[in-house]
């Protein structure tokens, strides 16, 4: 998202923060795991990262060790205009990584926003009005709920791009088609600059013929949109959330941690090329 400041009569860019929504309408595909660990891997590379937990389940908040009593200000308060980004952001145990946490209060947003004509633009307005706060970060990652509801649409309208975790399972690509149609609708109606950041295959098992077939189909149909990095099925990756930490902190040498470091490198390289 390009942000500009009027200086000596000219509009000049004030920062290069990249806003990425991590989305898939299916649950259990590794969406929150990807948000947490990609954020931690980017932070490890000395990037300033903010996670916005837009899922009422609050799993990203829990996975980063933010207890419920630490969630006095949440994304619900952010969207309702009751709090600013700076007030809502909570530091995590990971250097360079902060989060705006979520609680179940967010689950009522669909109903409460029904009569608001600008309901799809609330997060975009928040980020636009908080240009100074946004400028503190290199990346903002938005963890979306597992549905194409008003919260996910808010993320798409506010974001520069969408990163899609795709589980290596049968029918995975069929579920992807609905998400891509929604992205097209958002481009036409609310955010013409929205792009697909990439598709990352998750829960990949190289010993399983189905995983290999899903990868071949994805690369054949989606081409360069599919990241080279695949995220493996990994016990340490599955265990880390129960200890409320990213796998990079839980077991830094695990295959899961190394995979998310590789994904972070791809994301950084892709965005460096776009800025040249």
């Amino acid at each position: 998202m390009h942000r500009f400041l009027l200086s000596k009569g000219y509009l000049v860019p004030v920062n290069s923060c990249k806003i990425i929504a991590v989305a898939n309408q299916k649950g259990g595909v590794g969406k929150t795991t990807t948000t947490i660990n990609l954020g931690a891997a980017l932070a490890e590379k000395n990037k300033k990262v903010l996670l916005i937990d837009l899922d009422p389940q609050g799993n990203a908040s829990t996975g980063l060790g933010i207890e419920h009593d630490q969630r006095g200000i949440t994304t619900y308060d952010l969207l309702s205009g009751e709090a600013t980004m700076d007030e809502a952001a909570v530091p995590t145990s990971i250097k360079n990584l902060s989060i705006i946490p979520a609680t179940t209060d967010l689950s009522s947003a669909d109903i409460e926003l029904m009569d608001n004509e600008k309901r799809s633009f609330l997060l975009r307005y928040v980020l636009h009005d908080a240009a100074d706060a946004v400028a503190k970060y290199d990346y903002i990652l938005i963890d979306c709920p597992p549905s194409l509801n008003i919260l996910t649409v808010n993320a798409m309208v506010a974001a520069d791009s969408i990163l899609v975790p795709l589980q290596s399972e049968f029918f995975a690509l069929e579920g992807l088609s609905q998400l891509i149609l929604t992205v097209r609708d958002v481009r036409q109606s609310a955010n013409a600059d929205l792009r697909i950041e990439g598709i990352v295959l998750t829960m990949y098992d190289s010993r399983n013929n189905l995983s290999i077939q899903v990868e071949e189909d994805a690369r054949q149909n989606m081409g360069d949109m599919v990241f080279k990095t695949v995220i493996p099925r990994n016990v340490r990756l599955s265990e880390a959330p129960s200890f409320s930490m990213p796998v990079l902190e839980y077991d830094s040498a695990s295959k899961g941690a190394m995979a998310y470091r590789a994904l972070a490198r791809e994301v950084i390289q892709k965005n460096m090329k776009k800025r040249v």
Side-chain angles (χ1 to χ4, degrees):
M1 183 176 291
H2 303 292
R3 297 168 188 84
F4 298 90
L5 178 70
L6 187 63
S7 177
K8 298 180 180 180
Y10 295 95
L11 287 173
V12 296
V14 294
N15 80 309
S16 55
C17 176
K18 183 71 181 284
I19 302 173
I20 303 174
V22 183
N24 191 321
Q25 75 271 25
K26 286 189 65 178
V29 299
K31 176 184 56 61
T32 298
T33 297
T34 294
T35 308
I36 290 172
N37 288 291
L38 175 59
L42 289 169
E44 190 178 75
K45 294 184 179 300
N46 208 33
K47 303 296 183 183
K48 301 291 185 183
V49 183
L50 174 69
L51 267 58
I52 298 178
D53 192 347
L54 212 57
D55 186 345
Q57 297 176 86
N59 289 338
S61 306
T62 302
L64 284 172
I66 308 302
E67 302 293 341
H68 284 275
D69 60 5
Q70 294 177 275
R71 304 180 200 180
I73 300 176
T74 67
T75 44
Y76 178 84
D77 301 301
L78 194 69
L79 292 176
S80 63
E82 298 297 320
T84 66
M85 272 185 63
D86 280 338
E87 290 170 339
V90 177
T92 72
S93 62
I94 309 295
K95 182 183 177 183
N96 297 323
L97 180 61
S98 298
I99 185 170
I100 298 179
T103 63
T104 53
D105 288 349
L106 201 55
S107 60
S108 63
D110 268 356
I111 298 172
E112 294 182 10
L113 296 176
M114 192 66 69
D115 296 328
N116 189 329
E117 292 182 0
K118 300 296 185 181
R119 57 186 175 273
S120 298
F121 292 81
L122 295 181
L123 185 57
R124 184 184 182 100
Y125 292 155
V126 166
L127 297 178
H128 182 271
D129 291 343
D132 288 343
V134 170
K136 297 175 183 178
Y137 302 101
D138 298 299
Y139 290 91
I140 294 177
L141 304 181
I142 307 171
D143 187 36
C144 299
S147 62
L148 296 177
N149 63 10
I150 191 63
L151 294 173
T152 301
V153 172
N154 258 270
M156 291 183 178
V157 173
D160 298 305
S161 62
I162 306 290
L163 190 151
V164 185
L166 189 71
Q167 187 177 357
S168 303
E169 65 167 15
F170 200 58
F171 294 137
L173 291 177
E174 289 190 9
L176 181 62
S177 61
Q178 182 58 50
L179 180 64
I180 291 176
L181 287 174
T182 302
V183 170
R184 288 176 181 170
D185 288 343
V186 170
R187 280 180 189 162
Q188 293 172 1
S189 62
N191 183 2
D193 295 326
L194 183 65
R195 296 292 180 265
I196 303 282
E197 182 72 18
I199 298 163
V200 58
L201 291 166
T202 61
M203 305 179 193
Y204 186 87
D205 186 349
S206 59
R207 302 165 299 178
N208 186 319
N209 288 335
L210 180 57
S211 286
I212 295 170
Q213 186 62 54
V214 169
E215 180 181 15
E216 289 176 356
D217 290 347
R219 295 193 188 283
Q220 183 177 348
N221 286 282
M222 310 305 294
D224 291 341
M225 278 201 293
V226 183
F227 284 103
K228 294 177 183 177
T229 301
V230 297
I231 308 301
R233 283 194 179 275
N234 179 245
V235 173
R236 308 302 271 173
L237 193 55
S238 300
E239 290 175 346
S242 64
F243 291 88
S244 299
M245 60 180 69
V247 72
L248 280 81
E249 187 178 31
Y250 177 64
D251 187 346
S252 182
S254 66
K255 290 182 178 179
M258 290 188 286
Y260 277 110
R261 288 190 182 100
L263 180 62
R265 286 194 296 270
E266 279 199 72
V267 170
I268 292 169
Q269 289 168 2
K270 179 178 287 192
N271 288 290
M272 285 178 65
K273 289 178 183 178
K274 289 180 180 177
R275 291 170 188 170
V276 173

